[in-house]
């Protein structure tokens, strides 16, 4: 098929999808629950990712999506005739997120503080205590549909932990505008209409958000040196990380972790800076001692970053128990940041909370 034929086919498919969306919207507006369920299933994943970016917590994002869908159905008659449902869903979901931020004392306090901050003020990631990871299984479904726009815009840079942390430091309106404009690719007019503000106000919020992002987002070095087989290199680094964990080999970590690496453990508000301080923290916690226990690891992925689920077997026990999920940021072939989450995130990753000792031994393979 020639190029013109492909263009014509794409245009025809786009028109068909648009007509289908408007037809569904009409059915929803008329109270067709089955039509609404079809729309909800079609857009639920992209709405979840949108709410996750807004809130930085998978659990809170799931609640916001549920709230948004209930609102969208309840007020279905407010849908404009001939308009598709998707923009309406984003409007309702964004408002659900803004309401969640306003009702959360920690989020609203940080939002007020960040609004008053000078753009160049020091980054305060430790204050984002509600941060949670999101499994790659949610970000990358087994069979993505072409009709899901997020399959195009879901780049690693806009979902990884560092980005999620920094945008939580924006005011809620700035965060919404940044996500809609720079991540989802909405126009200034569409964004302003969704947020019920003027185009000038939306553009002003976007400019302020971009300045904050440039000044507060840590500079990223390439993940791997040029010419490196990234997949093979990542597998080898993770193998060494797991081996160091399971053998309780502190010295092995010295070659895996960058000298100026950062460690965080949400919801704790502390940040540990530097490889020496990180390793000391682990040793002070008893890592490698009999009292600490025996570790086994399972490799997974979160926020399009490698992650390692760690289980611990205490002396006298026969069961490995979920301990922590380490999400790793790799730069130039070495670990630059370790963000550690508690065992409460394991179910979202379809990870068991316990393993018998035999299962634990097999988990590393």
């Amino acid at each position: 098929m020639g190029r013109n034929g492909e263009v014509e086919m794409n245009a025809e498919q786009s028109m068909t999808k648009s007509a289908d969306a408007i037809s569904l919207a009409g059915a929803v507006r008329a109270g067709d629950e089955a039509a609404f369920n079809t729309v909800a299933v079609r857009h639920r994943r992209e709405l979840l990712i949108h709410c996750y970016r807004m809130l930085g917590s998978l659990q809170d994002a799931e609640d916001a999506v549920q709230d948004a869908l209930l609102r969208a159905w309840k007020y279905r008659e407010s849908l404009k005739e001939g308009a598709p449902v998707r923009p309406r869903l984003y409007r309702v979901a964004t408002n659900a997120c803004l309401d969640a931020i306003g009702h959360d004392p920690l989020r609203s306090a940080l939002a007020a503080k960040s609004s008053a901050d000078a753009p160049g003020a020091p980054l305060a990631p430790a204050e984002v205590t509600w941060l949670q990871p999101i499994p790659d299984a949610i970000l990358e479904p087994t069979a993505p549909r072409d009709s899901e726009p997020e399959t195009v815009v879901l780049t690693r840079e806009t979902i990884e932990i560092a980005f999620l942390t920094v945008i939580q430091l924006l005011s809620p309106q700035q965060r919404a505008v940044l996500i809609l404009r720079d991540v989802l690719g909405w126009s200034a007019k569409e964004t302003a209409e969704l947020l019920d503000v003027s185009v000038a106000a939306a553009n002003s919020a976007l400019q302020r958000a971009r300045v904050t992002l440039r000044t507060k987002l840590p500079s990223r070095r390439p993940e791997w040196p040029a010419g490196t087989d990234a997949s093979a290199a990542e597998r080898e680094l993770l193998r060494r990380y797991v081996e160091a964990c399971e053998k309780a080999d502190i010295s092995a970590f010295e070659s895996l972790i960058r000298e100026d690496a950062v460690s965080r453990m949400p919801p704790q508000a502390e940040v540990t800076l530097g490889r020496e301080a990180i390793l000391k923290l682990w040793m002070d916690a008893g890592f490698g001692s009999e009292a600490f226990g025996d570790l086994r690891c399972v490799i997974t992925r979160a926020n399009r970053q490698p992650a390692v689920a760690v289980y611990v077997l205490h002396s006298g026990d026969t069961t490995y128990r979920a301990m922590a999920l380490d999400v790793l940021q790799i730069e130039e072939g070495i670990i630059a940041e370790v963000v550690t989450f508690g065992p409460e995130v394991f179910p979202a990753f379809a990870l068991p909370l316990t393993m018998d000792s035999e299962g634990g031994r097999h988990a590393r393979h």
Side-chain angles (χ1 to χ4, degrees):
M1 179 183 293
R3 176 62 179 168
N4 290 339
E6 292 178 1
V7 171
E8 289 174 3
M9 179 174 288
N10 289 337
E12 183 178 345
Q13 289 173 343
S14 178
M15 290 175 64
T16 300
K17 291 173 183 176
S18 178
D20 177 55
I22 293 173
S23 175
L24 276 173
V28 169
R29 189 171 179 272
D32 186 334
E33 191 170 354
F36 180 79
N37 289 336
T38 297
V39 171
V41 169
R42 176 178 296 178
H43 296 293
R44 187 181 188 95
R45 188 177 73 93
E46 63 172 302
L47 292 174
L48 178 62
I49 294 170
H50 175 62
C51 291
Y52 174 67
R53 285 192 178 106
M54 285 290 297
L55 298 172
S57 160
L58 180 58
Q59 181 178 342
D60 293 341
E62 289 172 338
D63 291 343
V65 170
Q66 185 64 24
D67 182 23
L69 292 176
L70 289 173
R71 293 187 195 186
W73 174 247
K74 182 177 181 180
Y75 299 107
R76 59 190 178 276
E77 292 182 1
S78 63
L79 266 172
K80 293 181 180 179
E81 189 170 351
V85 179
R86 183 174 179 264
R88 172 69 176 172
L89 290 177
Y90 265 94
R91 180 191 184 96
V92 177
T94 301
N95 285 332
C97 291
L98 294 175
D99 288 345
I101 294 169
H103 294 153
D104 183 333
L106 290 176
R107 283 187 172 95
S108 55
L110 181 57
K113 178 181 176 182
S114 63
S115 296
D117 255 354
L123 177 65
E127 296 184 68
V128 187
T129 55
W130 56 84
L131 191 69
Q132 289 181 341
I134 187 170
D136 274 21
I138 293 176
L139 302 176
E140 300 170 356
T142 54
R145 296 188 299 268
D146 291 338
S147 60
E148 295 183 85
E150 79 282 5
T151 59
V152 176
V153 301
L154 186 55
T155 62
R156 175 173 182 158
E157 292 76 12
T158 65
I159 202 66
E160 63 185 7
I161 293 292
F163 178 83
L164 260 293
T165 301
V166 172
I167 64 173
Q168 299 305 302
L169 303 175
L170 298 171
S171 73
Q173 187 182 80
Q174 289 176 19
R175 192 183 319 163
V177 171
L178 180 82
I179 293 169
L180 292 168
R181 291 290 312 278
D182 286 357
V183 177
L184 296 176
W186 287 42
S187 70
K189 183 175 182 293
E190 290 169 331
T191 301
E193 289 176 351
L194 184 145
L195 295 172
D196 280 329
V197 299
S198 67
V199 171
N203 286 336
S204 176
L206 178 62
Q207 292 307 314
R208 292 196 301 273
R210 286 172 174 171
V211 169
T212 301
L213 203 65
R214 282 197 300 269
T215 56
K216 291 190 173 183
L217 188 64
S219 58
R220 270 302 294 271
R221 304 175 188 178
E223 194 174 10
W224 301 101
T228 301
D229 181 335
S231 296
E234 182 177 289
R235 285 195 300 270
E236 174 60 15
L237 186 146
L238 290 174
R239 184 195 67 77
R240 293 168 61 198
Y241 188 91
V242 167
E243 185 176 82
C245 283
E246 295 186 346
K247 291 184 176 180
D249 188 350
I250 279 288
S251 62
F253 281 111
E254 293 182 354
S255 62
L256 298 176
I257 300 175
R258 202 168 72 189
E259 187 177 1
D260 61 348
V262 176
S263 172
R264 293 188 283 144
M265 292 185 286
Q268 298 180 36
E270 291 78 21
V271 176
T272 304
L273 304 175
R275 179 178 61 209
E276 184 176 340
I278 293 171
L279 298 183
K280 183 180 185 303
L281 180 68
W282 294 354
M283 293 178 68
D284 288 347
F287 178 73
S289 68
E290 184 176 348
F292 187 83
D294 181 47
L295 299 183
R296 289 294 178 264
C297 300
V298 174
I299 295 171
T300 184
R301 292 190 65 82
N303 297 73
R304 290 197 166 176
Q305 299 173 243
V308 178
V310 183
Y311 293 80
V312 61
L313 176 69
H314 293 294
S315 178
D317 201 351
T318 59
T319 302
Y320 282 89
R321 304 185 187 278
M323 185 178 77
L325 179 76
D326 292 341
V327 181
L328 310 177
Q329 179 177 307
I330 301 170
E331 294 183 14
E332 296 182 331
I334 195 166
I335 297 168
E337 182 178 54
V338 182
V339 184
T340 302
F341 300 93
E344 65 276 2
V345 306
F346 277 48
F349 288 79
L351 290 166
L353 292 175
T354 61
M355 293 181 180
D356 62 33
S357 57
E358 186 64 25
R361 290 191 184 95
H362 291 305
R364 60 177 143 173
H365 298 297

